[in-house]
Amino acid sequence: MVDLKSQYAKIKQEIDAGIQEVLDSTVFIKGGKVNDFQHHLEEYLGVKHVIPVGNGTDALQISLMALGLKPGDEVITPTFTFIATAEVVALLGLTPVLVDVDPDTFTLSLSAVERAITPKTKAIVPVHLFGQNADMEPLLALAERHGLYVVEDACQSIGSEYTFSDGRKAKSGCMGHLGCTSFFPSKNLGCYGDGGAIFTNSDDLAAKARCIANHGMEVRYYHDRVGVNSRLDAIQASVLDVKLNYLEEYICNRQKAADYYDAALKDVAGVKLPSRSAHSTHVFHQYTICLDSSIDRAAVRKKLEEKGVPAMIYYPVPLHLQKAYRDARYSDGAFPVAERLAATVLSLPMHTELDEEQLAHIVQSLKEALS
């Protein structure tokens, strides 16, 4: 699904030099390379504050902690996503309120969010799934009308750009009160271990998030709030600082691969191609098709694997049907779009190193598996 080895080979000299610089400095935590990467990412995103943390899940948890939410407060988030989004809500004693998603973009449905708002609602966490933004302009307006926080889960969409109706553009994760990303190795901007970051234009929220991520300390050994220990180490920051210089190239490569898939698969019966939002660029963290419900997805996937083509299912079980998140409010059939997607989605290989020969083999293999 990804080819990190070939990607590394192309930038090996820069990566190795950056890591060696950290080893020579012996500044492994904070300072140095972490500060460099933080500032460079702030410039790239056009955001005032980037707070590097240990991983994307920590970024989500710390963001919600920085908002000062109380147990029982409700947080709205889509049911078709990775578990981390609801996981951090539940861990903090907050109440996850799950909603259905748009059948085309797979991002949360604005009408579903509006129906889910109650007097207990305090925040909305839109997930910019598979590489494109949720429709943020109406969502931000809805949140403002109801006095709600917006925390963007941009763990799959770094570099994607949203265009507002007045022509203003903003990078993914930089539109709400806080935004979060992951630097897991397979991400569009990934390190060689775990890593994540929080984005915000608010001085107050940035200060709170930094404090929480550092054991609740602003002054060493003086703990002003309950915190956690979450930080991006300098070796990972050095890797990310190099790869940030190539992010736009990586995005372009993914988009070219997606264009190839689109052209080659547009007339294949039983296959629905990924939709492109009218408001957002798509950076294709995943290229996810939907198969007709009459097609045996497991059989197709097995045939692909026999031809050396990996294919993944993101995600086979929506959150409201997960054992840990079963809730009397949500029964089977409660969110028909998410349940249909869970039963029909299939993600094809998508990474920066795909060449035309590989793409042709993947497409031909899929056509044969469907025949």
Side-chain angles (χ1 to χ4, degrees):
M1 295 295 290
V2 296
D3 185 2
L4 295 176
K5 189 170 184 178
S6 296
Q7 186 189 74
Y8 166 61
K10 291 181 178 179
I11 55 174
K12 182 181 189 309
Q13 189 172 358
E14 293 174 79
I15 292 288
D16 291 358
I19 292 174
Q20 189 61 53
E21 188 178 337
V22 173
L23 296 175
D24 290 342
S25 74
T26 68
V27 179
F28 300 117
I29 301 295
K30 299 185 177 182
K33 285 291 185 181
V34 179
N35 289 344
D36 289 346
F37 172 63
Q38 174 190 320
H39 296 319
H40 294 154
L41 187 56
E42 287 167 348
E43 291 172 4
Y44 171 79
L45 294 171
V47 71
K48 195 171 183 181
H49 301 283
V50 166
I51 301 97
V53 294
N55 54 66
T57 305
D58 281 1
L60 287 163
Q61 178 174 325
I62 293 164
S63 293
L64 291 175
M65 292 173 71
L67 298 178
L69 306 185
K70 306 298 182 186
D73 287 347
E74 294 178 352
V75 178
I76 297 172
T77 197
T79 188
F80 187 67
T81 184
F82 183 60
I83 199 67
T85 317
E87 185 175 53
V88 296
V89 175
L91 281 170
L92 294 174
L94 310 172
T95 301
V97 175
L98 304 176
V99 297
D100 214 343
V101 294
D102 179 88
D104 294 320
T105 65
F106 310 158
T107 58
L108 53 66
S109 162
L110 185 70
S111 59
V113 171
E114 195 158 13
R115 290 193 299 271
I117 294 172
T118 75
K120 292 184 178 181
T121 306
K122 294 296 185 290
I124 305 168
V125 182
V127 179
H128 303 317
L129 199 68
F130 298 154
Q132 66 182 333
N133 293 286
D135 194 359
M136 289 298 293
E137 186 168 12
L139 182 67
L140 290 169
L142 177 67
E144 186 173 3
R145 287 199 302 273
H146 291 273
L148 306 177
Y149 292 110
V150 175
V151 177
E152 296 174 71
D153 182 337
C155 290
Q156 298 185 8
S157 61
I158 192 165
S160 178
E161 195 167 65
Y162 184 89
T163 302
F164 289 84
S165 58
D166 61 3
R168 179 171 56 92
K169 298 180 184 295
K171 293 288 190 184
S172 189
C174 302
M175 294 170 276
H177 295 88
L178 294 150
C180 306
T181 201
S182 165
F183 300 127
F184 188 78
S186 64
K187 302 295 186 183
N188 292 29
L189 179 62
C191 55
Y192 295 161
D194 265 324
I198 299 165
F199 318 140
T200 185
N201 286 303
S202 165
D203 294 341
D204 178 59
L205 290 175
K208 289 176 180 175
R210 285 196 187 95
C211 179
I212 291 166
N214 188 34
H215 294 289
M217 290 189 297
E218 291 185 17
V219 177
R220 192 169 178 83
Y221 300 127
Y222 291 82
H223 305 272
D224 299 325
R225 58 182 71 240
V226 174
V228 298
N229 176 27
S230 183
R231 53 202 175 196
L232 181 70
D233 73 69
I235 288 177
Q236 301 305 335
S238 74
V239 171
L240 290 165
D241 206 31
V242 170
K243 293 179 76 174
L244 180 59
N245 295 321
Y246 294 91
L247 180 56
E248 287 299 314
E249 178 185 327
Y250 292 162
I251 290 171
C252 183
N253 289 347
R254 287 172 178 269
Q255 290 171 336
K256 286 179 180 177
D259 289 343
Y260 185 99
Y261 280 140
D262 282 354
L265 297 172
K266 64 180 180 180
D267 297 322
V268 176
V271 173
K272 180 184 176 184
L273 303 180
S275 296
R276 317 288 183 95
S277 168
H279 313 285
S280 172
T281 60
H282 202 318
V283 297
F284 288 99
H285 174 59
Q286 303 294 346
Y287 185 90
T288 302
I289 61 175
C290 290
L291 301 179
D292 188 270
S293 58
S294 63
I295 294 173
D296 185 340
R297 181 176 62 179
V300 169
R301 191 179 179 199
K302 183 179 179 182
K303 289 177 182 177
L304 287 172
E305 289 174 351
E306 288 170 355
K307 293 179 179 294
V309 176
M312 293 293 290
I313 299 170
Y314 306 111
Y315 298 94
V317 183
L319 303 192
H320 69 284
L321 299 181
Q322 296 283 355
K323 184 177 179 181
Y325 295 87
R326 279 286 191 175
D327 190 303
R329 295 172 295 171
Y330 312 127
S331 58
D332 290 16
F335 303 117
V337 175
E339 291 177 36
R340 184 171 68 251
L341 292 175
T344 61
V345 292
L346 189 70
S347 294
L348 302 179
M350 173 53 72
H351 55 79
T352 60
E353 309 307 308
L354 283 168
D355 59 35
E356 194 160 319
E357 183 180 354
Q358 292 171 320
L359 289 164
H361 175 65
I362 294 164
V363 167
Q364 184 60 33
S365 299
L366 178 60
K367 289 178 178 179
E368 292 174 7
L370 290 167
S371 63

